[in-house]
Amino acid sequence: MKICYYPGCTLKNHAKNFEDSTICSLNSIGVEVEELSRWNCCGTVFSLTTDDLIHHIAPIRNLIRVKEANYNKVMTVCAMCFNTLKRANERIKSDPESMDILNNFMDREEVQYEGDVQVFHLLEFLKDEIGFENLAKKVVKPLKKLKIASYYGCLLVRPKEIGFDDMENPTILDDLMEILGADSVDFPFKTECCGAYQTVDKPEIIADRTNRILTSAKDRGAQMVVVSCPLCAFNLDQRQKQTVEKYPEFKHIPVLYFTQALAIALGCPEETLRFDLNFIDPKPILKEKGLI
Amino acid sequence: MRINLSRKKIRDSFVDKVQELSGQNLLACYQCGKCSAGCPAVDEMDILPNQIIRFAQLGLKEELLASKAIWICASCLTCNARCPKGINIAEVIEALRQILLRNRKDHLKVEKLSDKEKEEIPPIALICSMRKFTS
Ligand code: SF4
Ligand code: SF4
């Protein structure tokens, strides 16, 4: 099987650990990944104002690229890209007048966009196309006795029409971690916003959120937290530096992309895990559990 | 805070503008407060999400456009998910930010970020912040 893949900007630099672990995991279960040969930034956020059509151009152009590559579906792993691409797509599909305006604006494109590309997330693919029970059979290194809290954040689950799990109590990541052999730890802050882009000019707000979210996961016994968004990862992992400055009693905890946990369980080599990009080193706990 | 209400403010085109940009019917709100109860950012807000809706119904333009809260909201959509009246509060807040941004009142001063910050902060955060906080 071969799937078309849209990486998004951050997976090519700060979140290379997200990309490499995704590709290795998929290859190891026999899925080939074809990255779009040309793509642009999706814009990271979906425009919430009714008249702001211009900002839907960026995501829609990517969907045109998917058509040009002869696919009718595209996979993303970044929660923000997923949300922006899928939401812009749904917005345009439900409004033919806007679709015409956008197509006219993009009159140098050789392909017209007709709402005919489907956007999906890796988690949906693993659950619905591969099947968690089949994935379980491919696990070579079960994440035994590792207590993992799954953090969903906002954009995998909200709004309802876009998300692929329960908005208030999603379980897809927890289910995946269980399939991989880990003990999943439920905690009340799994869909609480990390503060997102406030990290740029108000990092002190992020310190509060990170403290609240991670302390709750730790109190429930988690030894690490998994995420699906490079912005959540930056706030929950890198911003632990500011968190401990503001809250000296705060205790560090490793934050991984869920694909890094997946890649470990599927036996991917350590160079694809790229732990050098994780701020809080997950190696000690992984060594303790005999996983690396 | 002293608030002056007037028929003039309630009928001001500002109210229509907010409704138009957000696509929301402000009068549907019955002030249950559920949006504010679930908002993770209320600690830092001067006007809470349910109050933002009330202020917008009443055309309290100055108070809303000068508020800190509209720049604290991170569009996490928790309020939208929980409003029993189906109001998209985050869209109303976006409309308020847009009214200012469309008049070139940028909130983020990109030029104030140090080289170290620009290198350390991932593109996803920088682009997002620019999309939300600059015109
Ligand atoms: S949850 Fe909805 S109805 Fe209740 S106060 Fe907020 S906007 Fe109004
Ligand atoms: S979208 Fe904004 S107002 Fe609504 S819950 Fe999130 S931070 Fe609060």
Side-chain angles (χ1 to χ4, degrees):
Chain A
M1 194 192 308
K2 202 169 176 186
I3 56 175
C4 174
Y5 161 61
Y6 171 83
C9 308
T10 307
L11 270 83
K12 294 294 174 190
N13 39 72
H14 292 66
K16 196 79 182 92
N17 44 357
F18 198 5
E19 170 160 76
D20 289 0
S21 55
T22 296
I23 292 176
C24 181
S25 299
L26 284 168
N27 290 344
S28 73
I29 57 168
V31 178
E32 256 187 89
V33 180
E34 186 178 336
E35 181 181 326
L36 285 173
S37 59
R38 207 182 126 203
W39 54 267
N40 54 266
C41 173
C42 68
T44 70
V45 283
F46 173 80
S47 280
L48 296 174
T49 33
T50 49
D51 63 349
D52 189 15
L53 281 182
I54 193 82
H55 286 108
H56 301 316
I57 297 268
I60 298 299
R61 272 202 208 278
N62 286 311
L63 303 183
I64 292 179
R65 303 281 93 82
V66 176
K67 284 183 73 171
E68 285 171 349
N70 289 318
Y71 285 95
N72 56 11
K73 284 180 180 182
V74 61
M75 180 195 73
T76 62
V77 289
C78 165
M80 293 189 85
C81 298
F82 164 73
N83 195 285
T84 306
L85 293 175
K86 186 168 174 187
R87 237 184 136 177
N89 196 27
E90 297 306 316
R91 160 84 173 77
I92 296 307
K93 266 159 68 177
S94 66
D95 176 7
E97 198 189 325
S98 298
M99 182 125 66
D100 282 347
I101 296 172
L102 290 197
N103 275 321
N104 285 337
F105 184 89
M106 299 185 284
D107 59 0
R108 308 263 316 257
E109 295 285 0
E110 279 160 23
V111 173
Q112 284 258 321
Y113 192 62
E114 284 150 355
D116 42 353
V117 171
Q118 192 197 329
V119 179
F120 65 97
H121 190 271
L122 172 63
L123 280 167
E124 292 174 285
F125 178 75
L126 295 174
K127 182 168 177 255
D128 304 331
E129 301 284 324
I130 302 292
F132 278 173
E133 53 307 336
N134 298 324
L135 188 64
K137 292 181 206 138
K138 309 266 171 127
V139 171
V140 294
K141 225 189 257 177
L143 309 178
K144 280 233 171 66
K145 300 215 175 75
L146 188 58
K147 295 193 171 60
I148 303 183
S150 297
Y151 175 77
Y152 299 79
C154 306
L155 298 174
L156 285 184
V157 290
R158 291 188 291 267
K160 199 173 180 178
E161 315 78 68
I162 300 300
F164 45 77
D165 205 340
D166 188 282
M167 278 199 295
E168 296 289 351
N169 187 23
T171 55
I172 189 167
L173 267 173
D174 295 82
D175 296 343
L176 176 65
M177 292 304 125
E178 295 268 338
I179 289 290
L180 303 179
D183 294 329
S184 91
V185 176
D186 192 24
F187 74 119
F189 290 94
K190 62 184 182 180
T191 61
E192 176 111 340
C193 176
C194 67
Y197 44 84
Q198 303 288 1
T199 200
V200 176
D201 61 334
K202 304 174 200 81
E204 62 293 347
I205 292 184
I206 310 301
D208 298 344
R209 304 287 180 87
T210 296
N211 180 44
R212 216 189 295 168
I213 294 165
L214 296 182
T215 303
S216 162
K218 270 199 92 107
D219 287 349
R220 296 283 182 114
Q223 293 163 316
M224 66 168 61
V225 173
V226 292
V227 299
S228 177
C229 169
L231 186 46
C232 300
F234 179 75
N235 286 344
L236 296 181
D237 187 13
Q238 270 80 0
R239 289 289 189 223
Q240 285 188 42
K241 189 164 167 252
Q242 285 76 8
T243 308
V244 83
E245 281 164 15
K246 192 164 177 183
Y247 298 95
E249 70 288 1
F250 172 79
K251 296 267 180 306
H252 291 302
I253 177 171
V255 176
L256 277 76
Y257 289 107
F258 75 94
T259 51
Q260 289 179 294
L262 177 67
I264 297 170
L266 295 174
C268 288
E270 213 175 305
E271 64 268 19
T272 63
L273 305 172
R274 293 292 310 269
F275 290 135
D276 57 306
L277 292 169
N278 291 69
F279 179 67
I280 303 298
D281 188 3
K283 288 195 296 275
I285 181 75
L286 293 170
K287 277 199 187 117
E288 190 191 309
K289 305 287 171 189
L291 293 168
I292 53 167
Chain B
M1 191 187 337
R2 176 189 286 268
I3 289 172
N4 293 317
L5 303 182
S6 69
R7 208 166 291 167
K8 191 166 161 273
K9 284 187 194 171
I10 296 173
R11 291 187 186 147
D12 193 273
S13 62
F14 170 76
V15 179
D16 297 331
K17 184 97 192 154
V18 173
Q19 300 211 90
E20 190 188 303
L21 288 178
S22 66
Q24 305 303 307
N25 172 13
L26 295 167
L27 289 174
C29 168
Y30 53 22
Q31 288 294 305
C32 67
K34 217 172 162 189
C35 48
S36 302
C39 171
V42 282
D43 286 357
E44 295 99 29
M45 287 181 172
D46 46 358
I47 307 176
L48 307 187
N50 71 303
Q51 295 174 311
I52 291 179
I53 304 298
R54 178 61 103 214
F55 279 31
Q57 290 170 339
L58 297 172
L60 301 177
K61 183 175 168 181
E62 269 88 65
E63 288 84 348
L64 284 170
L65 296 184
S67 83
K68 195 176 143 206
I70 60 173
W71 305 108
I72 297 290
C73 165
S75 300
C76 76
L77 312 183
T78 307
C79 49
N80 291 7
R82 295 184 184 167
C83 173
K85 295 288 287 177
I87 300 166
N88 291 338
I89 300 96
E91 271 79 341
V92 174
I93 301 176
E94 177 103 331
L96 296 167
R97 278 190 299 263
Q98 282 292 319
I99 288 172
L100 288 164
L101 294 174
R102 290 178 188 191
N103 286 299
R104 301 227 151 246
K105 301 220 168 61
D106 284 1
H107 174 69
L108 177 76
K109 304 278 179 263
V110 183
E111 63 282 7
K112 287 210 176 128
L113 296 174
S114 68
D115 288 345
K116 189 174 164 282
E117 282 170 315
K118 277 184 264 182
E119 195 182 290
E120 181 186 84
I121 298 170
I124 193 168
L126 288 170
I127 297 164
C128 215
S129 176
M130 288 185 224
R131 281 277 283 101
K132 285 287 186 177
F133 293 159
T134 63
S135 50

